[in-house]
Amino acid sequence: MADRIFRVNMSDLSAKVEAVPEGWMGLGGRGLTSTIVAAEVKPTCHPLGKNNKLVFAPGLLSGTPAANSGRLSCGAKSPLTGTIKEANAGGTSAQMLAKLGVKALIIEGKPADDSKWYSLHVNADGATIKEETEVVGMGNFAVVQTLNQRLGDKVGVITIGPAGEMKMLGANISIKDPDSHMRSHGRGGLGAVMGSKRIKFISVEPTDQKVAIANPDAFKAANRTFAKALVDNPISKALGQYGTNVLVNIINESGGLPTKNFTAGQFEGHEAVSGETMYDTIVARGGKPRHNCHPGCVIQCSQIYADAKGQYKTSGFEYETIWALGADCGIDNLDYVAEADNVMDDLGLDSIEIPVAFGVAMEAGVLKFGDGAELCRILKEDVAKGTPLGRIIGNGAGFVGKAFGVTRVPVVKNQAIPAYDPRAIKGIGITYATSTQGADHTMGYTIATNILGVGGKVDPLSKEGQVELSRNLQIATAAIDSTGMCLFIAFAALDDATCLPALIDLINARYGINLVANDVTNLGMTILKTERAFNLAAGFTNKDDRLPEFFSEEPIAPHNVVWDITDEAIDSFWNF
Amino acid sequence: MQLTVKLFAYFRDNRFKQQRMEFPEGTTVEDIIRSLGVPLDEVGVTMINSRHCELRQVPAEDDQLAVFPAIGGG
């Protein structure tokens, strides 16, 4: 089935299917969502108004048998940052949409009557808009259970929870995974954009259609090489055993684990929330240490964490979430962390933004550092119900800082800084400052080279080489985010010479084209420049590419270092 | 010299998390790793006192040595 653009207009409740414009043919994932948002969304529009558009796009390889290719990109102008935004997630929908021939799904406009909620159903003929009442107000888990009964277990589901319905700036968009749990387009408040369109969920019809592959034999050969590079990589193996949370102890040891609202670089309770403790706990309670977030993943970094009675508690229990609730909020108890993660999955909240917001609230005295029970209570009784306190926290770290007069607020472009302190790991500070999407470690994961010794070594405490490191990784990441590949292929790609050529061979075999490595780099550069041009037109300047003042003024233990990279050096990031 | 040695991830299996240990002066990081039976080719990152270090480096009295396998996440 030829790829097409599915377009839905929520102002007049119409839907149509269009041919793919020539210029979009070679794009997928983030490259496509950012190109569409830049082409069709007025940069100065209100992100929750009728002029914003919400765009979903599977990657270039999604829907094929290529290993780890099941990521779905979602883009819009972000209500949290005011910048362009792309967030990608696993789950089952990317592959289903690709098999239906959906190159992109563009949702525009906004219903004039904002008393009603709607759903979209996507099949090979297009998208159908229906009024929805039954699942409105439900948490994500109940939405998925209800739709599994209504439409069958195999249906793909893209949904917002109560946080998205209330248009909280920390609201995410959740994707059903193979076990009917949640994967998330986490960052930037995209759930609020979906809520502003009055769409509670999108269902995707299962299909037996296959994605067309121009050169099947070459594709098979490349996929064998590619999957072998992933499976053989030692980091993939550790990810399968301990999950991403294996990082708690090494980042703590390096002195870069932001603790108690970024006032220290090491957390005394690190061992209790570490990947090692998590693995032992999962095994002792009969959970699953390994689990795939989308079919075809050979790394399996996800897991199923069980409570003390052996019942499901949460899955996709990520380092950043555990850091934020653990070290940043001072909670040295994995069960409270798992409880909060589960509630955030159900409400549809970004599990980085919201715990960092709690860290700021703890500094303000709203609750005490380390009080996991109170944090869970506020999530369930205030955030879930949209009380004034719940809405303040649901709007993220920057909003909490303003509401309570806190000056130590770890955000860039109003998005919460994640799990690596930029004073002690300076490369990631360049990424936070220059990312086109606010503070986001995944945009250019310098931790690989600063801390983990992947892709070479750059001293995390030195000022040298950090801009170049972040630039190279941000360019590569923009390209990888366009393929539908999980970013964790990068660990193999950085150190195994067979991996990246095999990935390019996969794209060439799928489309019958002849890309070379330079084309991929150029794609990454073009995406970054497209995104930056949108932000400049929206009113951002280089003065927004800065870290909060306190990082330059408050030394962080144990290295007692401050953020000391000059503004000129930061601005040189864009010299390409 | 007395050192604190910390092991992480599966290097802890049948060994320890953290231990005070005595080594002769001049012992390198590589010597210490070998003495623990940790396969050198599986070592990803080593740190002395929270700074990355080389295998040939010689720790000083009371240093903390941390040994990690190849790991990643994010």
Side-chain angles (χ1 to χ4, degrees):
Chain A
M1 164 100 37
D3 289 342
R4 294 156 303 156
I5 302 292
F6 287 31
R7 191 182 290 271
V8 172
N9 185 324
M10 293 305 292
S11 293
D12 60 11
L13 303 179
S14 67
K16 55 186 173 182
V17 175
E18 301 168 353
V20 179
E22 180 88 28
W24 297 356
M25 292 276 193
L27 298 171
R30 175 177 167 190
L32 186 53
T33 63
S34 286
T35 298
I36 293 173
V37 171
E40 298 194 359
V41 174
K42 191 173 148 196
T44 51
C45 76
H46 194 295
L48 301 180
K50 66 178 171 37
N51 291 324
N52 200 5
K53 301 191 183 190
L54 187 68
V55 183
F56 292 91
L60 287 167
L61 291 167
S62 299
T64 73
N68 288 59
S69 62
R71 303 287 292 192
L72 181 66
S73 286
C74 179
K77 175 174 174 172
S78 162
L80 181 74
T81 63
T83 65
I84 200 166
K85 173 63 64 179
E86 183 264 1
N88 61 74
T92 57
S93 286
Q95 288 155 329
M96 295 170 75
L97 287 169
K99 287 174 186 174
L100 290 170
V102 181
K103 181 86 171 163
L105 168 63
I106 304 173
I107 301 168
E108 54 196 32
K110 184 176 171 171
D113 172 4
D114 68 359
S115 65
K116 289 180 182 163
W117 283 95
Y118 299 90
S119 72
L120 299 183
H121 184 71
V122 178
N123 63 21
D125 300 326
T128 311
I129 306 167
K130 271 193 198 153
E131 192 182 338
E132 174 64 32
T133 53
E134 186 185 8
V135 303
V136 174
M138 282 185 185
N140 285 321
F141 290 106
V143 171
V144 167
Q145 291 312 323
T146 305
L147 295 179
N148 281 351
Q149 286 181 6
R150 192 193 294 177
L151 301 166
D153 285 346
K154 293 207 159 48
V155 67
V157 180
I158 301 168
T159 165
I160 56 170
E165 291 184 33
M166 290 186 270
K167 293 183 278 191
M168 289 179 179
L169 302 185
N172 66 23
I173 297 176
S174 294
I175 311 287
K176 178 178 138 181
D177 81 3
D179 293 329
S180 292
H181 299 139
M182 300 307 143
R183 310 302 302 189
S184 309
H185 297 287
R187 308 224 64 193
L190 293 175
V193 179
M194 190 155 146
S196 76
K197 308 284 183 210
R198 308 293 292 179
I199 294 172
K200 173 66 177 175
F201 69 85
I202 302 165
S203 51
V204 185
E205 193 159 292
T207 177
D208 294 329
Q209 285 175 201
K210 288 195 165 61
V211 165
I213 292 175
N215 190 341
D217 291 339
F219 192 93
K220 262 187 212 157
N223 197 26
R224 265 197 300 274
T225 308
F226 182 70
K228 184 171 185 328
L230 297 187
V231 171
D232 288 351
N233 188 273
I235 291 180
S236 303
K237 291 178 187 169
L239 274 170
Q241 180 168 2
Y242 300 102
T244 59
N245 198 33
V246 72
L247 291 178
V248 163
N249 278 339
I250 193 167
I251 304 300
N252 184 71
E253 188 67 22
S254 80
L257 190 74
T259 297
K260 295 183 182 166
N261 195 33
F262 289 73
T263 54
Q266 289 182 323
F267 176 44
E268 59 191 16
H270 66 94
E271 197 61 56
V273 295
S274 67
E276 289 89 337
T277 300
M278 184 170 97
Y279 174 78
D280 292 343
T281 307
I282 289 172
V283 171
R285 292 177 176 178
K288 273 170 72 175
R290 293 173 73 101
H291 169 256
N292 55 330
C293 85
H294 67 267
C297 170
V298 297
I299 297 176
Q300 303 195 320
C301 74
S302 183
Q303 59 296 105
I304 293 177
Y305 183 89
D307 64 16
K309 293 174 191 152
Q311 300 297 307
Y312 173 87
K313 195 68 205 177
T314 197
S315 61
F317 201 20
E318 303 285 350
Y319 165 65
E320 275 71 22
T321 305
I322 295 169
W323 154 76
L325 292 159
D328 197 49
C329 291
I331 299 169
D332 59 359
N333 178 314
L334 263 185
D335 287 330
Y336 280 128
V337 173
E339 169 80 16
D341 186 43
N342 183 248
V343 175
M344 288 187 287
D345 274 352
D346 200 37
L347 297 178
L349 287 164
D350 175 5
S351 63
I352 296 176
E353 189 67 42
I354 298 307
V356 174
F358 270 109
V360 178
M362 286 171 171
E363 174 152 340
V366 176
L367 69 168
K368 289 193 176 70
F369 279 108
D371 194 344
E374 178 64 2
L375 185 149
C376 290
R377 188 198 66 74
I378 291 174
L379 275 176
K380 286 186 248 187
E381 294 180 14
D382 288 296
V383 183
K385 293 175 186 158
T387 68
L389 174 63
R391 286 175 189 265
I392 288 171
I393 289 178
N395 278 330
F399 203 97
V400 171
K402 285 201 173 78
F404 293 101
V406 178
T407 54
R408 192 184 296 107
V409 182
V411 297
V412 178
K413 300 182 179 77
N414 201 43
Q415 181 164 283
I417 292 180
Y420 316 88
D421 198 291
R423 287 164 288 192
I425 311 175
K426 296 191 193 294
I428 202 70
I430 298 292
T431 297
Y432 296 156
T434 57
S435 150
T436 51
Q437 314 197 12
D440 185 335
H441 61 292
T442 67
M443 290 284 134
Y445 192 64
T446 72
I447 307 307
T449 311
N450 281 150
I451 301 291
L452 306 172
V454 176
K457 291 179 184 174
V458 173
D459 180 357
L461 294 173
S462 163
K463 288 188 260 188
E464 300 304 314
Q466 309 293 2
V467 172
E468 189 185 7
L469 175 65
S470 176
R471 184 193 295 129
N472 289 340
L473 288 169
Q474 289 200 51
I475 290 168
T477 300
I480 290 174
D481 285 345
S482 302
T483 60
M485 285 291 163
C486 165
L487 192 52
F488 290 166
I489 70 153
F491 292 115
L494 285 165
D495 279 345
D496 181 334
T498 66
C499 184
L500 209 51
L503 176 59
I504 295 169
D505 289 345
L506 280 168
I507 298 170
N508 287 339
R510 155 86 163 92
Y511 293 96
I513 53 179
N514 293 295
L515 297 180
V516 295
N518 259 352
D519 297 320
V520 176
T521 309
N522 288 336
L523 172 66
M525 289 184 187
T526 302
I527 293 168
L528 291 185
K529 287 180 176 175
T530 301
E531 292 173 344
R532 176 155 165 91
F534 181 93
N535 293 346
L536 295 177
F540 286 85
T541 72
N542 62 328
K543 303 290 189 295
D544 295 296
D545 292 354
R546 302 290 180 258
L547 299 188
E549 190 180 28
F550 77 90
F551 285 114
S552 307
E553 297 183 343
E554 299 177 8
I556 191 171
H559 296 302
N560 297 314
V561 285
V562 294
W563 173 250
D564 53 1
I565 296 191
T566 63
D567 292 349
E568 292 70 28
I570 296 172
D571 291 344
S572 73
F573 174 88
W574 288 103
N575 295 345
F576 63 88
Chain B
M1 58 181 170
Q2 286 266 325
L3 301 178
T4 299
V5 180
K6 302 179 189 176
L7 300 177
F8 295 92
Y10 65 89
F11 286 172
R12 290 176 172 182
D13 297 348
N14 303 315
R15 295 193 187 90
F16 55 86
K17 277 186 198 172
Q18 178 170 331
Q19 201 160 292
R20 271 305 265 184
M21 301 181 82
E22 176 76 33
F23 294 97
E25 293 297 324
T27 306
T28 65
V29 171
E30 179 173 339
D31 296 334
I32 294 168
I33 292 171
R34 283 184 192 280
S35 76
L36 295 169
V38 172
L40 261 185
D41 61 351
E42 292 179 18
V43 173
V45 174
T46 50
M47 294 184 205
I48 295 175
N49 302 335
S50 296
R51 299 297 311 269
H52 288 75
C53 65
E54 302 293 331
L55 289 175
R56 62 174 183 278
Q57 221 161 305
V58 178
E61 179 73 24
D62 277 337
D63 275 353
Q64 299 204 7
L65 172 67
V67 184
F68 301 85
I71 55 176

